Amino acid sequence: MTMLTPILFFLVFSIKMISGADWCYQSQMTCNNTCSGPETWPVVSQHCSGRAQSPINIITRKALPVRLPPLQFIGYQETFHGRITNTGHSVQLDLPASATIKGGNLGVPYKAVQLHLHWGKDAGVGSEHTIDGEQFPMEMHIVHIKEEYNSLSEALRDRTGVAVLAFFFQESRTANKKYDPIVYALKDIKHPTNITTVKGVSLDTLTPPQSNMTNYFRYQGSLTTPNCAEAVIWTVFENTIPLSRQQLTAFCQIQFSNGMLMVKTHRPVQPLNGRQVYYSGGHVALVNTVLLITSVLASSGLSLHTEG
Ligand SMILES: *[C@@H]1O[C@H](CO)[C@@H](O)[C@H](O)[C@H]1NC(C)=O
Ligand SMILES: [Zn+2]
């Protein structure tokens, strides 16, 4: 008894220490920082050790090809003024609920709530999902919830309550002007809880052209931050968004709550545990149709003018 008491006290104390501490990314963990890194997120929320967690490494050879109906983006072209914040873990832009998505085998329409990003350090690798082991410098998540729900927390109680569109970024030689409003806002949100407004953006300008959004991976997973709720239909687009090195690096000037630079804000990939990943390649079908028309025309003695 006398031997056990201090041990018990120590155990209870250390569990309390961990669960009481805020969660953090691996990059925030230092000798004198007791925050809860990805390995101990299950202590913060038991969902984080579930069997359908995100992100994942997508093995393209194992993705099942399917022809899903095209995704429809409604209200994506509308320009809006959005609140942008440093959440302490990411940069988040609030979105108007008038932006909705439907089709793409989602079942019901989903309305936009917010978008946020995950990145590396100084334009190095930082995406959450990987494709055949390849990690990209940054990944954007546009978070949508079923129209019937009033909040993200409400939607998280439904296994298919949330639909996240994920986009990878790739370093380009020239700046992507469409991202300047967000990049410029970063200097005003250096510290967690800082808020500013991004003026004159639309989801259309922040995503690839719609004709390039036909190829995507689909699987069932979770939030990639605590509470890690397994309530997300993931749509991971194959087409990337270009951003210059300078633009990518700008994200590293903002800070975590402990004053460290906000870098490597990505969770390690999680086990698939038998889940099926689907691949919908609308573009392939389109190319085939063009080839078919071309060959029909060619065989009937006509030619196609393909320039311009
Ligand atoms: C940002 O947050 C920090 C820390 O809370 C605060 O000191 C600073 O005044 C804020 N800046 C702005 C522009 O709100
Ligand atoms: Zn995310």
Side-chain angles (χ1 to χ4, degrees), residues 1-11:
M1 189 65 191
T2 42
M3 278 287 283
L4 268 175
T5 312
I7 297 168
L8 271 176
F9 177 78
F10 176 76
L11 273 177

Side-chain angles (χ1 to χ4, degrees), residues 26-305:
Q26 192 69 39
S27 59
Q28 271 172 283
M29 295 177 71
T30 57
C31 298
N32 53 13
N33 192 358
T34 54
C35 66
S36 200
E39 300 305 316
T40 51
W41 285 1
V43 183
V44 179
S45 168
Q46 61 181 41
H47 299 300
C48 300
S49 56
R51 292 188 55 82
Q53 289 291 293
S54 295
I56 56 163
N57 172 37
I58 295 167
I59 302 167
T60 54
R61 173 174 59 79
K62 289 188 179 168
L64 189 67
V66 285
R67 195 162 299 170
L68 302 180
L71 270 165
Q72 289 167 261
F73 305 89
I74 301 135
Y76 261 52
Q77 71 288 349
E78 281 168 34
T79 302
F80 63 93
H81 298 338
R83 210 179 72 124
I84 193 166
T85 55
N86 175 339
T87 64
H89 304 289
S90 185
V91 168
Q92 181 179 313
L93 175 65
D94 293 344
L95 299 175
S98 53
T100 59
I101 50 168
K102 62 179 193 181
N105 210 37
L106 288 174
V108 294
Y110 287 72
K111 60 184 178 188
V113 181
Q114 47 103 331
L115 70 77
H116 61 267
L117 300 119
H118 301 267
W119 60 89
K121 183 174 191 257
D122 299 333
V125 292
S127 69
E128 296 214 291
H129 288 91
T130 56
I131 305 281
D132 293 326
E134 182 186 0
Q135 197 178 7
F136 298 81
M138 189 153 80
E139 182 171 335
M140 173 167 65
H141 292 157
I142 308 183
V143 181
H144 302 73
I145 58 174
K146 276 184 186 166
E147 284 186 322
E148 65 193 87
Y149 298 124
N150 294 312
S151 67
L152 182 59
S153 53
E154 207 183 316
L156 288 173
R157 290 196 284 268
D158 172 351
R159 226 181 71 83
T160 57
V162 181
V164 180
L165 306 185
F167 297 90
F168 295 121
F169 290 78
Q170 215 158 26
E171 190 181 320
S172 58
R173 259 193 281 167
T174 53
N176 180 346
K177 293 270 183 287
K178 292 165 181 171
Y179 269 80
D180 277 346
I182 289 180
V183 171
Y184 290 150
L186 297 173
K187 63 179 183 332
D188 297 325
I189 54 167
K190 277 213 164 75
H191 306 280
T193 73
N194 285 166
I195 298 174
T196 189
T197 306
V198 171
K199 294 200 175 117
V201 284
S202 73
L203 284 171
D204 252 2
T205 62
L206 300 176
T207 52
Q210 281 184 24
S211 57
N212 287 348
M213 289 204 276
T214 50
N215 296 8
Y216 57 82
F217 298 95
R218 166 65 57 75
Y219 79 99
Q220 183 75 38
S222 75
L223 293 184
T224 64
T225 56
N227 71 358
C228 308
E230 294 181 343
V232 183
I233 301 176
W234 281 94
T235 304
V236 180
F237 290 91
E238 201 171 50
N239 240 274
T240 60
I241 301 168
L243 223 52
S244 70
R245 187 181 188 83
Q246 206 169 9
Q247 289 179 310
L248 286 167
T249 307
F251 285 86
C252 306
Q253 69 182 295
I254 79 164
Q255 296 172 15
F256 287 126
S257 52
N258 62 358
M260 292 171 74
L261 293 178
M262 194 179 281
V263 295
K264 298 184 182 173
T265 54
H266 49 91
R267 184 189 196 186
V269 291
Q270 302 295 305
L272 202 51
N273 292 323
R275 280 175 288 171
Q276 180 68 58
V277 177
Y278 299 91
Y279 175 69
S280 185
H283 196 62
V284 173
L286 187 69
V287 167
N288 285 341
T289 311
V290 171
L291 285 177
L292 182 69
I293 293 168
T294 312
S295 59
V296 167
L297 289 175
S299 62
S300 63
L302 293 167
S303 71
L304 260 192
H305 209 65

